[in-house]
Coordinates of all heavy atoms in Angstrom, one line a residue:
M1493 N -38.7 99.4 -14.7 CA -40.1 99.2 -14.5 C -40.6 99.9 -13.3 O -39.9 99.9 -12.3 CB -40.4 97.7 -14.4 CG -41.8 97.4 -13.9 SD -42.5 95.8 -14.1 CE -41.9 94.7 -13.0
I1494 N -41.7 100.5 -13.4 CA -42.4 101.2 -12.3 C -43.5 100.4 -11.8 O -44.4 100.1 -12.6 CB -42.8 102.6 -12.7 CG1 -41.6 103.5 -13.1 CG2 -43.6 103.3 -11.6 CD1 -42.0 104.8 -13.7
R1495 N -43.6 100.1 -10.6 CA -44.7 99.4 -10.0 C -45.6 100.4 -9.2 O -45.1 101.1 -8.4 CB -44.1 98.3 -9.0 CG -45.1 97.7 -8.1 CD -45.7 96.5 -8.8 NE -46.6 95.9 -7.8 CZ -47.7 95.2 -8.1 NH1 -48.0 95.1 -9.3 NH2 -48.4 94.7 -7.2
K1496 N -46.8 100.4 -9.6 CA -47.8 101.2 -8.9 C -48.8 100.4 -8.1 O -49.0 99.2 -8.5 CB -48.5 102.1 -10.0 CG -47.6 103.1 -10.7 CD -48.4 103.9 -11.6 CE -47.5 105.0 -12.3 NZ -48.2 105.9 -13.1
G1497 N -49.4 101.0 -7.1 CA -50.4 100.3 -6.3 C -49.7 99.7 -5.1 O -48.5 99.8 -4.9
E1498 N -50.5 99.0 -4.3 CA -50.0 98.4 -3.1 C -49.2 97.1 -3.4 O -49.5 96.5 -4.3 CB -51.2 98.2 -2.1 CG -51.9 99.4 -1.7 CD -51.1 100.5 -1.1 OE1 -50.2 100.2 -0.3 OE2 -51.3 101.7 -1.5
M1499 N -48.3 96.8 -2.5 CA -47.4 95.6 -2.7 C -47.7 94.5 -1.7 O -46.9 94.2 -0.9 CB -46.0 96.1 -2.7 CG -45.6 97.0 -3.8 SD -43.9 97.5 -3.8 CE -44.0 99.0 -2.8
Y1500 N -48.9 94.0 -1.8 CA -49.3 92.9 -0.9 C -48.9 91.5 -1.4 O -49.0 90.6 -0.6 CB -50.8 92.9 -0.6 CG -51.2 94.2 0.2 CD1 -52.0 95.1 -0.4 CD2 -50.8 94.3 1.5 CE1 -52.5 96.2 0.3 CE2 -51.3 95.4 2.2 CZ -52.1 96.4 1.6 OH -52.5 97.5 2.3
S1501 N -48.5 91.4 -2.6 CA -48.3 90.1 -3.2 C -47.0 89.5 -2.6 O -46.1 90.2 -2.2 CB -48.1 90.1 -4.7 OG -46.9 90.7 -5.0
G1502 N -46.9 88.1 -2.6 CA -45.7 87.4 -2.0 C -44.5 87.8 -2.8 O -43.4 87.9 -2.2
K1503 N -44.6 88.0 -4.1 CA -43.5 88.4 -4.9 C -42.8 89.6 -4.4 O -41.6 89.7 -4.2 CB -43.9 88.5 -6.4 CG -42.8 89.0 -7.3 CD -43.3 89.1 -8.7 CE -42.3 89.7 -9.6 NZ -42.8 89.9 -11.0
F1504 N -43.6 90.7 -4.2 CA -43.0 92.0 -3.8 C -42.7 92.0 -2.3 O -41.9 92.8 -1.8 CB -43.9 93.1 -4.2 CG -43.9 93.3 -5.7 CD1 -45.0 92.9 -6.5 CD2 -42.8 93.8 -6.3 CE1 -45.0 93.1 -7.8 CE2 -42.8 93.9 -7.7 CZ -43.9 93.6 -8.5
S1505 N -43.4 91.3 -1.5 CA -43.2 91.3 0.0 C -41.8 90.7 0.3 O -41.2 91.0 1.3 CB -44.2 90.6 0.7 OG -44.3 89.2 0.4
A1506 N -41.3 89.9 -0.6 CA -39.9 89.3 -0.4 C -38.9 90.4 -0.7 O -37.8 90.5 -0.1 CB -39.7 88.1 -1.3
V1507 N -39.2 91.3 -1.6 CA -38.2 92.3 -2.0 C -38.4 93.5 -1.0 O -37.4 94.1 -0.7 CB -38.5 92.8 -3.4 CG1 -37.6 94.0 -3.8 CG2 -38.3 91.7 -4.4
Y1508 N -39.6 93.8 -0.6 CA -39.8 94.9 0.3 C -40.5 94.4 1.6 O -41.7 94.5 1.8 CB -40.8 95.9 -0.3 CG -40.3 96.5 -1.6 CD1 -40.9 96.0 -2.8 CD2 -39.3 97.4 -1.7 CE1 -40.4 96.6 -4.0 CE2 -38.9 98.0 -2.8 CZ -39.4 97.5 -4.0 OH -39.0 98.0 -5.2
P1509 N -39.7 93.7 2.5 CA -40.2 93.2 3.7 C -40.8 94.3 4.6 O -40.2 95.3 4.7 CB -39.1 92.5 4.3 CG -37.9 93.1 3.8 CD -38.2 93.6 2.4
E1510 N -41.9 94.0 5.2 CA -42.6 94.9 6.1 C -43.1 96.1 5.5 O -43.4 97.1 6.1 CB -41.7 95.2 7.3 CG -41.3 94.0 8.1 CD -40.4 94.3 9.2 OE1 -40.3 95.5 9.7 OE2 -39.7 93.4 9.7
C1511 N -43.1 96.2 4.2 CA -43.6 97.3 3.4 C -45.0 97.0 2.8 O -45.1 96.0 2.1 CB -42.7 97.8 2.3 SG -41.1 98.3 3.0
T1512 N -46.0 97.8 3.1 CA -47.3 97.5 2.5 C -47.8 98.6 1.7 O -48.9 98.7 1.3 CB -48.3 97.2 3.6 OG1 -48.4 98.4 4.5 CG2 -48.0 96.0 4.4
S1513 N -46.9 99.6 1.4 CA -47.3 100.7 0.7 C -46.3 101.2 -0.4 O -45.1 101.0 -0.2 CB -47.5 101.9 1.7 OG -47.9 103.1 1.0
T1514 N -46.8 101.8 -1.4 CA -45.9 102.5 -2.4 C -45.5 103.8 -1.9 O -44.7 104.5 -2.6 CB -46.6 102.6 -3.7 OG1 -47.9 103.3 -3.5 CG2 -46.9 101.2 -4.3
R1515 N -46.0 104.3 -0.8 CA -45.5 105.5 -0.2 C -44.2 105.4 0.6 O -44.1 105.6 1.8 CB -46.6 106.1 0.7 CG -47.9 106.5 0.0 CD -48.9 107.0 1.0 NE -50.1 107.5 0.3 CZ -51.3 106.9 0.3 NH1 -51.5 105.8 1.0 NH2 -52.3 107.5 -0.4
M1516 N -43.2 105.0 -0.2 CA -41.9 104.7 0.5 C -41.3 106.0 1.1 O -40.5 105.8 2.0 CB -41.0 104.1 -0.6 CG -41.4 102.7 -1.0 SD -41.6 101.6 0.4 CE -39.9 101.4 0.9
W1517 N -41.6 107.1 0.6 CA -41.0 108.4 1.2 C -41.3 108.5 2.7 O -40.5 109.0 3.4 CB -41.5 109.6 0.4 CG -43.0 109.9 0.5 CD1 -44.0 109.4 -0.3 CD2 -43.6 110.7 1.5 NE1 -45.2 109.9 0.1 CE2 -45.0 110.7 1.2 CE3 -43.2 111.4 2.6 CZ2 -46.0 111.3 1.9 CZ3 -44.2 112.1 3.4 CH2 -45.5 112.1 3.0
I1518 N -42.5 107.9 3.1 CA -42.8 107.9 4.5 C -41.9 107.0 5.3 O -41.3 107.5 6.3 CB -44.3 107.5 4.7 CG1 -45.2 108.5 4.1 CG2 -44.6 107.4 6.2 CD1 -46.6 108.0 4.0
K1519 N -41.7 105.8 4.8 CA -40.8 104.9 5.5 C -39.3 105.4 5.5 O -38.7 105.4 6.6 CB -40.8 103.5 4.9 CG -42.2 102.9 5.0 CD -42.2 101.5 4.4 CE -43.6 100.9 4.5 NZ -44.1 100.7 5.8
Q1520 N -38.9 105.9 4.4 CA -37.5 106.4 4.3 C -37.3 107.7 5.2 O -36.4 107.8 5.9 CB -37.2 106.7 2.9 CG -37.1 105.5 2.0 CD -37.0 105.8 0.5 OE1 -37.4 106.8 0.1 NE2 -36.4 104.9 -0.2
G1521 N -38.3 108.6 5.1 CA -38.2 109.8 5.9 C -38.3 109.5 7.4 O -37.6 110.1 8.2
T1522 N -39.2 108.6 7.8 CA -39.3 108.2 9.2 C -38.0 107.6 9.7 O -37.6 107.9 10.8 CB -40.5 107.2 9.4 OG1 -41.7 107.9 8.9 CG2 -40.7 106.8 10.8
K1523 N -37.4 106.7 8.9 CA -36.1 106.1 9.4 C -35.0 107.2 9.5 O -34.3 107.1 10.5 CB -35.7 105.0 8.3 CG -34.7 104.1 8.9 CD -35.1 103.6 10.2 CE -34.6 102.2 10.4 NZ -34.9 101.8 11.8
E1524 N -35.0 108.1 8.6 CA -34.0 109.2 8.7 C -34.2 110.0 9.9 O -33.3 110.4 10.6 CB -34.0 110.0 7.4 CG -33.0 111.1 7.3 CD -33.1 111.9 6.0 OE1 -33.5 111.3 5.0 OE2 -32.8 113.1 6.1
F1525 N -35.5 110.3 10.2 CA -35.9 111.1 11.3 C -35.5 110.4 12.6 O -35.0 111.0 13.5 CB -37.4 111.4 11.2 CG -37.9 112.4 12.2 CD1 -37.3 113.6 12.4 CD2 -39.1 112.2 12.9 CE1 -37.8 114.6 13.3 CE2 -39.6 113.1 13.8 CZ -39.0 114.3 14.0
E1526 N -35.8 109.1 12.7 CA -35.5 108.3 13.8 C -34.0 108.3 14.1 O -33.5 108.5 15.2 CB -36.0 106.9 13.7 CG -35.7 105.9 14.8 CD -36.1 104.5 14.6 OE1 -36.7 104.2 13.5 OE2 -35.9 103.7 15.5
N1527 N -33.2 108.1 13.0 CA -31.7 108.1 13.2 C -31.2 109.5 13.7 O -30.3 109.5 14.5 CB -31.1 107.7 11.9 CG -31.2 106.3 11.5 OD1 -31.4 105.4 12.4 ND2 -31.2 106.0 10.2
S1528 N -31.8 110.5 13.2 CA -31.4 111.9 13.7 C -31.7 112.1 15.2 O -30.9 112.6 15.9 CB -32.1 112.9 12.9 OG -31.7 112.9 11.5
I1529 N -32.9 111.6 15.6 CA -33.3 111.7 17.0 C -32.3 110.9 17.9 O -31.9 111.3 18.9 CB -34.7 111.2 17.2 CG1 -35.7 112.2 16.6 CG2 -35.0 111.1 18.7 CD1 -37.1 111.7 16.6
L1530 N -32.0 109.7 17.4 CA -31.1 108.8 18.2 C -29.7 109.5 18.3 O -29.0 109.4 19.3 CB -31.0 107.4 17.5 CG -32.2 106.6 17.7 CD1 -32.1 105.3 16.8 CD2 -32.5 106.3 19.1
L1531 N -29.2 110.1 17.2 CA -27.9 110.8 17.3 C -28.0 112.0 18.3 O -27.1 112.2 19.1 CB -27.6 111.3 15.9 CG -26.3 112.2 15.8 CD1 -25.1 111.4 16.3 CD2 -26.1 112.7 14.4
L1532 N -29.1 112.7 18.2 CA -29.3 113.8 19.2 C -29.3 113.3 20.6 O -28.8 114.0 21.5 CB -30.6 114.6 18.8 CG -30.8 115.9 19.6 CD1 -29.7 116.9 19.5 CD2 -32.2 116.5 19.2
E1533 N -29.9 112.2 20.8 CA -29.9 111.6 22.2 C -28.5 111.3 22.7 O -28.1 111.5 23.8 CB -30.8 110.4 22.3 CG -32.3 110.7 22.3 CD -33.1 109.4 22.7 OE1 -32.6 108.3 22.4 OE2 -34.2 109.6 23.2
R1534 N -27.7 110.7 21.7 CA -26.3 110.4 22.1 C -25.5 111.7 22.5 O -24.8 111.7 23.4 CB -25.6 109.7 20.9 CG -26.1 108.3 20.8 CD -25.4 107.6 19.6 NE -26.0 106.3 19.3 CZ -26.7 106.0 18.2 NH1 -26.7 107.0 17.2 NH2 -27.2 104.9 18.0
L1535 N -25.7 112.7 21.6 CA -25.0 114.0 21.9 C -25.5 114.6 23.2 O -24.7 115.2 24.0 CB -25.3 114.9 20.7 CG -24.6 114.5 19.4 CD1 -25.1 115.5 18.3 CD2 -23.1 114.5 19.5
D1536 N -26.8 114.5 23.5 CA -27.4 115.0 24.7 C -26.7 114.2 25.9 O -26.4 114.8 26.9 CB -28.9 114.8 24.7 CG -29.5 115.5 25.9 OD1 -29.2 116.6 26.3 OD2 -30.5 114.8 26.5
A1537 N -26.6 112.9 25.8 CA -26.0 112.1 26.9 C -24.5 112.6 27.1 O -24.1 112.7 28.3 CB -26.0 110.7 26.6
I1538 N -23.8 112.8 26.0 CA -22.4 113.3 26.2 C -22.4 114.6 26.8 O -21.5 114.9 27.7 CB -21.7 113.3 24.8 CG1 -21.5 111.9 24.3 CG2 -20.4 114.0 24.9 CD1 -21.1 111.8 22.8
S1539 N -23.3 115.5 26.5 CA -23.3 116.8 27.1 C -23.6 116.8 28.6 O -23.0 117.6 29.4 CB -24.4 117.7 26.4 OG -25.7 117.4 26.8
W1540 N -24.4 115.8 29.0 CA -24.6 115.6 30.5 C -23.3 115.1 31.1 O -22.9 115.6 32.2 CB -25.7 114.5 30.7 CG -27.0 115.0 30.7 CD1 -27.9 115.0 29.7 CD2 -27.7 115.7 31.8 NE1 -29.1 115.6 30.1 CE2 -29.0 116.0 31.4 CE3 -27.3 116.0 33.1 CZ2 -29.9 116.6 32.2 CZ3 -28.3 116.6 33.9 CH2 -29.6 116.9 33.5
M1541 N -22.5 114.3 30.4 CA -21.3 113.7 31.0 C -20.2 114.8 31.2 O -19.4 114.7 32.1 CB -20.8 112.6 30.2 CG -21.7 111.3 30.2 SD -21.3 109.9 29.1 CE -19.7 110.2 28.5
V1542 N -20.2 115.7 30.3 CA -19.2 116.8 30.3 C -19.7 118.1 31.0 O -19.0 119.1 30.9 CB -18.5 117.1 29.0 CG1 -17.8 115.8 28.5 CG2 -19.6 117.5 28.0
N1543 N -20.9 118.0 31.5 CA -21.5 119.1 32.3 C -21.8 120.3 31.4 O -21.5 121.5 31.9 CB -20.7 119.4 33.5 CG -21.5 120.0 34.6 OD1 -22.7 119.9 34.6 ND2 -20.9 120.8 35.5
I1544 N -22.2 120.2 30.2 CA -22.6 121.3 29.4 C -24.0 121.2 28.8 O -24.3 121.6 27.8 CB -21.6 121.6 28.2 CG1 -21.5 120.3 27.3 CG2 -20.2 122.0 28.7 CD1 -20.7 120.6 26.0
H1545 N -24.8 120.5 29.6 CA -26.2 120.1 29.2 C -27.1 121.4 29.1 O -27.0 122.3 29.8 CB -26.8 119.2 30.2 CG -28.1 118.7 29.7 ND1 -29.3 119.2 30.2 CD2 -28.5 117.8 28.8 CE1 -30.3 118.6 29.6 NE2 -29.9 117.7 28.8
D1546 N -27.9 121.3 28.0 CA -28.9 122.4 27.8 C -30.3 121.7 27.9 O -30.6 120.8 27.1 CB -28.7 123.0 26.4 CG -29.6 124.1 26.1 OD1 -30.5 124.4 26.9 OD2 -29.4 124.8 25.1
D1547 N -31.2 122.2 28.8 CA -32.5 121.6 28.9 C -33.3 121.8 27.7 O -34.3 121.0 27.5 CB -33.2 122.3 30.1 CG -32.7 121.8 31.4 OD1 -32.2 120.7 31.5 OD2 -32.7 122.6 32.4
N1548 N -33.1 122.7 26.8 CA -33.8 122.9 25.6 C -33.7 121.7 24.7 O -34.6 121.3 23.9 CB -33.3 124.2 24.8 CG -33.7 125.4 25.6 OD1 -34.7 125.5 26.3 ND2 -32.9 126.4 25.4
I1549 N -32.5 121.0 24.7 CA -32.3 119.8 23.9 C -33.2 118.7 24.4 O -33.8 118.0 23.6 CB -30.8 119.4 24.0 CG1 -29.9 120.4 23.3 CG2 -30.6 118.0 23.3 CD1 -28.5 120.2 23.4
S1550 N -33.4 118.6 25.7 CA -34.3 117.5 26.2 C -35.7 117.8 25.8 O -36.5 116.9 25.4 CB -34.2 117.5 27.7 OG -32.9 117.1 28.1
D1551 N -36.1 119.1 25.8 CA -37.5 119.4 25.4 C -37.7 119.1 23.9 O -38.7 118.6 23.4 CB -37.8 120.9 25.6 CG -37.8 121.2 27.1 OD1 -38.0 120.3 27.9 OD2 -37.6 122.4 27.5
L1552 N -36.6 119.4 23.1 CA -36.7 119.2 21.7 C -36.8 117.7 21.4 O -37.5 117.2 20.5 CB -35.4 119.8 21.0 CG -35.4 119.8 19.5 CD1 -36.5 120.7 18.9 CD2 -34.0 120.3 19.0
L1553 N -36.0 116.9 22.1 CA -36.1 115.4 22.0 C -37.4 114.9 22.2 O -38.0 114.1 21.5 CB -35.0 114.8 22.9 CG -33.6 114.7 22.4 CD1 -32.7 114.3 23.5 CD2 -33.6 113.7 21.2
S1554 N -38.0 115.4 23.3 CA -39.4 114.9 23.7 C -40.4 115.3 22.6 O -41.2 114.4 22.2 CB -39.8 115.6 25.0 OG -41.1 115.2 25.4
K1555 N -40.3 116.5 22.1 CA -41.2 116.9 21.0 C -41.1 116.0 19.8 O -42.0 115.6 19.2 CB -40.9 118.4 20.6 CG -41.7 118.9 19.4 CD -41.2 120.3 19.1 CE -41.8 120.8 17.9 NZ -41.2 120.4 16.6
H1556 N -39.8 115.7 19.4 CA -39.6 115.0 18.2 C -40.0 113.5 18.3 O -40.5 112.8 17.4 CB -38.2 115.1 17.7 CG -37.8 116.4 17.1 ND1 -38.7 117.1 16.3 CD2 -36.8 117.3 17.3 CE1 -38.2 118.3 15.9 NE2 -37.0 118.4 16.6
W1557 N -39.8 112.9 19.5 CA -40.2 111.6 19.8 C -41.7 111.4 19.7 O -42.3 110.5 19.1 CB -39.7 111.0 21.1 CG -38.4 110.4 21.1 CD1 -37.3 110.8 21.7 CD2 -38.0 109.2 20.3 NE1 -36.2 110.0 21.4 CE2 -36.6 109.0 20.6 CE3 -38.7 108.4 19.5 CZ2 -35.9 107.9 20.0 CZ3 -38.0 107.3 18.9 CH2 -36.6 107.1 19.2
K1558 N -42.4 112.4 20.2 CA -43.9 112.4 20.1 C -44.3 112.5 18.6 O -45.3 111.8 18.2 CB -44.5 113.6 20.9 CG -44.4 113.4 22.4 CD -44.9 114.6 23.1 CE -44.7 114.4 24.6 NZ -45.2 115.6 25.4
E1559 N -43.7 113.3 17.8 CA -44.0 113.3 16.4 C -43.8 112.0 15.7 O -44.6 111.5 14.9 CB -43.2 114.4 15.7 CG -43.5 115.8 16.1 CD -42.6 116.9 15.6 OE1 -41.5 116.5 15.1 OE2 -42.9 118.1 15.6
L1560 N -42.6 111.4 16.0 CA -42.3 110.1 15.4 C -43.3 109.0 15.8 O -43.7 108.2 15.0 CB -40.9 109.7 15.8 CG -40.3 108.4 15.2 CD1 -40.2 108.6 13.7 CD2 -39.0 108.0 15.8
L1561 N -43.6 109.0 17.1 CA -44.6 108.0 17.5 C -46.0 108.2 17.0 O -46.7 107.3 16.7 CB -44.6 108.0 19.1 CG -43.3 107.5 19.7 CD1 -43.4 107.6 21.2 CD2 -43.1 106.0 19.3
F1562 N -46.3 109.5 16.7 CA -47.6 109.8 16.1 C -47.7 109.2 14.7 O -48.6 108.5 14.3 CB -47.8 111.3 16.0 CG -49.1 111.7 15.3 CD1 -50.3 111.6 15.9 CD2 -49.0 112.1 14.0 CE1 -51.5 112.0 15.2 CE2 -50.2 112.4 13.3 CZ -51.4 112.3 13.9
V1563 N -46.6 109.4 14.0 CA -46.5 108.8 12.6 C -46.6 107.3 12.6 O -47.3 106.7 11.8 CB -45.2 109.3 11.9 CG1 -45.0 108.6 10.6 CG2 -45.3 110.8 11.7
A1564 N -45.9 106.7 13.6 CA -45.8 105.2 13.7 C -47.1 104.6 14.1 O -47.4 103.5 13.7 CB -44.7 104.8 14.6
M1565 N -47.9 105.3 14.9 CA -49.0 104.7 15.5 C -50.4 105.0 14.9 O -51.4 104.5 15.3 CB -49.1 105.1 17.0 CG -47.9 104.5 17.8 SD -47.8 102.7 17.8 CE -49.4 102.3 18.6
H1566 N -50.4 105.8 13.9 CA -51.7 106.2 13.3 C -51.9 105.8 11.9 O -52.3 106.6 11.0 CB -51.9 107.7 13.5 CG -52.1 108.1 14.9 ND1 -51.1 108.4 15.8 CD2 -53.3 108.3 15.6 CE1 -51.7 108.7 16.9 NE2 -53.0 108.7 16.9
D1567 N -51.6 104.6 11.6 CA -51.8 104.0 10.3 C -51.1 104.7 9.1 O -51.3 104.5 8.0 CB -53.3 103.9 9.9 CG -54.0 103.0 10.8 OD1 -53.4 102.0 11.4 OD2 -55.2 103.1 11.0
V1568 N -50.1 105.5 9.5 CA -49.4 106.3 8.5 C -48.2 105.5 8.0 O -48.0 105.3 6.8 CB -48.9 107.7 9.1 CG1 -48.1 108.4 8.1 CG2 -50.2 108.5 9.5
L1569 N -47.4 105.0 9.0 CA -46.2 104.3 8.6 C -46.5 103.1 7.7 O -45.8 102.8 6.7 CB -45.4 103.9 9.8 CG -44.0 103.4 9.6 CD1 -43.2 104.5 8.8 CD2 -43.3 103.2 10.9
P1570 N -47.5 102.3 8.1 CA -47.8 101.1 7.2 C -48.5 101.5 5.9 O -48.6 100.7 5.0 CB -48.8 100.3 8.0 CG -49.1 101.0 9.2 CD -48.3 102.2 9.3
G1571 N -48.8 102.8 5.7 CA -49.4 103.3 4.5 C -50.9 103.0 4.3 O -51.4 103.0 3.2
T1572 N -51.6 102.8 5.4 CA -53.0 102.5 5.3 C -53.9 103.7 5.7 O -55.1 103.5 5.9 CB -53.3 101.3 6.3 OG1 -52.9 101.6 7.6 CG2 -52.6 100.1 5.8
G1573 N -53.3 104.9 5.8 CA -54.1 106.1 6.2 C -54.8 106.6 4.9 O -54.4 106.3 3.8
V1574 N -55.7 107.5 5.1 CA -56.3 108.2 4.0 C -55.4 109.3 3.4 O -54.5 109.8 4.1 CB -57.7 108.9 4.4 CG1 -58.7 107.8 4.9 CG2 -57.5 109.9 5.5
D1575 N -55.6 109.6 2.2 CA -54.7 110.5 1.5 C -54.5 111.8 2.2 O -53.4 112.4 2.2 CB -55.2 110.7 0.0 CG -55.0 109.5 -0.8 OD1 -54.2 108.6 -0.5 OD2 -55.7 109.4 -1.8
E1576 N -55.5 112.4 2.8 CA -55.4 113.7 3.4 C -54.4 113.7 4.5 O -53.7 114.7 4.8 CB -56.7 114.2 4.0 CG -57.7 114.5 2.9 CD -58.4 113.3 2.2 OE1 -58.4 112.2 2.8 OE2 -58.9 113.5 1.1
V1577 N -54.2 112.6 5.2 CA -53.2 112.5 6.3 C -51.8 112.7 5.8 O -51.0 113.3 6.6 CB -53.3 111.1 7.0 CG1 -52.3 110.9 8.0 CG2 -54.7 111.0 7.6
Y1578 N -51.5 112.3 4.6 CA -50.1 112.3 4.2 C -49.6 113.7 3.9 O -48.4 114.0 4.0 CB -49.9 111.4 3.0 CG -50.2 110.0 3.4 CD1 -51.4 109.4 3.0 CD2 -49.3 109.3 4.1 CE1 -51.6 108.1 3.4 CE2 -49.5 108.0 4.5 CZ -50.7 107.4 4.2 OH -51.0 106.1 4.6
K1579 N -50.5 114.7 3.7 CA -50.1 116.1 3.6 C -49.6 116.6 4.9 O -48.5 117.2 5.0 CB -51.3 116.9 3.1 CG -51.7 116.6 1.7 CD -53.0 117.4 1.3 CE -53.5 116.9 0.0 NZ -54.8 117.4 -0.3
E1580 N -50.3 116.3 6.0 CA -49.8 116.7 7.3 C -48.5 116.0 7.7 O -47.6 116.6 8.2 CB -50.9 116.3 8.3 CG -50.5 116.7 9.8 CD -51.6 116.3 10.8 OE1 -52.7 115.9 10.4 OE2 -51.3 116.4 12.0
I1581 N -48.4 114.7 7.4 CA -47.2 114.0 7.7 C -46.0 114.5 7.0 O -44.9 114.6 7.5 CB -47.4 112.5 7.4 CG1 -48.5 111.9 8.3 CG2 -46.1 111.7 7.6 CD1 -48.4 112.1 9.8
G1582 N -46.2 115.0 5.7 CA -45.1 115.6 5.0 C -44.5 116.8 5.6 O -43.4 117.1 5.5
E1583 N -45.3 117.5 6.4 CA -44.8 118.6 7.2 C -43.9 118.2 8.3 O -43.1 119.0 8.7 CB -46.0 119.5 7.7 CG -46.8 120.1 6.6 CD -48.1 120.8 7.1 OE1 -48.3 120.9 8.3 OE2 -48.9 121.2 6.3
Y1584 N -44.2 117.1 8.9 CA -43.3 116.6 10.0 C -41.9 116.3 9.4 O -40.9 116.5 10.0 CB -43.8 115.3 10.6 CG -44.9 115.5 11.6 CD1 -45.7 114.4 12.0 CD2 -45.3 116.7 12.1 CE1 -46.7 114.6 13.0 CE2 -46.3 116.9 13.0 CZ -47.0 115.8 13.4 OH -48.0 116.0 14.3

């Protein structure tokens, strides 16, 4: 069965907690992006410990955190943004 439309009902909120949108690709992609950034942070910390640190990695981390926070804070992650926004978010 394919469910279309928003999932605000109690029935679906139990199956999809904290999800208010059928745009699941945003939630899944954001989680994958977040996990990648966290892994990069761990590797960056290890590089500092073994004294092979590259400042470009720190700059890259900062850039990606800003992108992730933009998605999370501008009605995109909850799925309440206007359709035009999702094209830009898809590029992130």
Side-chain angles (χ1 to χ4, degrees):
M1493 168 160 75
I1494 297 174
R1495 169 83 175 152
K1496 293 184 178 183
E1498 302 304 319
M1499 294 182 268
Y1500 291 113
S1501 72
K1503 176 182 176 184
F1504 291 108
S1505 64
V1507 177
Y1508 302 104
E1510 300 178 20
C1511 294
T1512 57
S1513 175
T1514 54
R1515 293 180 172 112
M1516 291 305 292
W1517 64 270
I1518 296 169
K1519 294 180 182 302
Q1520 292 168 335
T1522 301
K1523 194 52 144 172
E1524 184 179 329
F1525 192 46
E1526 179 183 0
N1527 287 334
S1528 296
I1529 292 173
L1530 291 171
L1531 176 62
L1532 186 58
E1533 281 192 336
R1534 289 182 189 112
L1535 294 172
D1536 187 45
I1538 292 170
S1539 73
W1540 274 99
M1541 291 174 15
V1542 296
N1543 203 25
I1544 57 169
H1545 184 261
D1546 182 356
D1547 288 330
N1548 293 329
I1549 294 174
S1550 296
D1551 293 340
L1552 189 62
L1553 275 167
S1554 178
K1555 173 186 175 275
H1556 289 318
W1557 271 119
K1558 287 177 184 176
E1559 291 173 346
L1560 183 65
L1561 293 172
F1562 175 80
V1563 171
M1565 294 300 296
H1566 287 87
D1567 296 334
V1568 175
L1569 192 55
T1572 56
V1574 294
D1575 289 337
E1576 290 77 20
V1577 171
Y1578 296 104
K1579 293 174 188 170
E1580 179 183 350
I1581 297 307
E1583 294 172 8
Y1584 281 168

